[in-house]
Amino acid sequence: MTDPDKIYADAGEPATLHYSGRSVPSPTLQEAVLEWMRLAAEDRERATIQVNVPGGPTYTAKEINRLHIASKPK
């Protein structure tokens, strides 16, 4: 059974954290999320993380908070 509030994502994809006019590239989505967690609350609220693959999603702060870095259960 899956949790509908979780967003499943591939932790190994390259990603970029965007906040306060800054862009911080990371080799993995997991590292970008860890960087997001270190931000001040004010910056976290407005930040996004873009997955750097063709057609990759851009996650808002509310979505980042729901990311579940693992394979999606069947």
Side-chain angles (χ1 to χ4, degrees):
M1 181 181 277
T2 64
D3 183 342
D5 292 333
K6 290 182 180 177
I7 298 172
Y8 292 89
D10 182 348
E13 296 290 346
T16 302
L17 171 64
H18 300 280
Y19 72 98
S20 298
R22 297 182 181 136
S23 295
V24 181
S26 295
T28 66
L29 175 58
Q30 183 173 6
E31 289 180 41
V33 171
L34 291 173
E35 286 296 321
W36 175 80
M37 293 172 75
R38 292 183 190 108
L39 295 175
E42 181 178 296
D43 287 329
R44 270 196 317 268
E45 291 175 8
R46 293 187 214 113
T48 62
I49 294 179
Q50 179 180 4
V51 177
N52 300 331
V53 297
T58 298
Y59 297 108
T60 65
K62 288 181 181 181
E63 292 169 324
I64 296 166
N65 202 33
R66 294 172 39 216
L67 283 175
H68 185 71
I69 308 294
S71 298
K72 187 173 183 175
K74 296 180 182 183

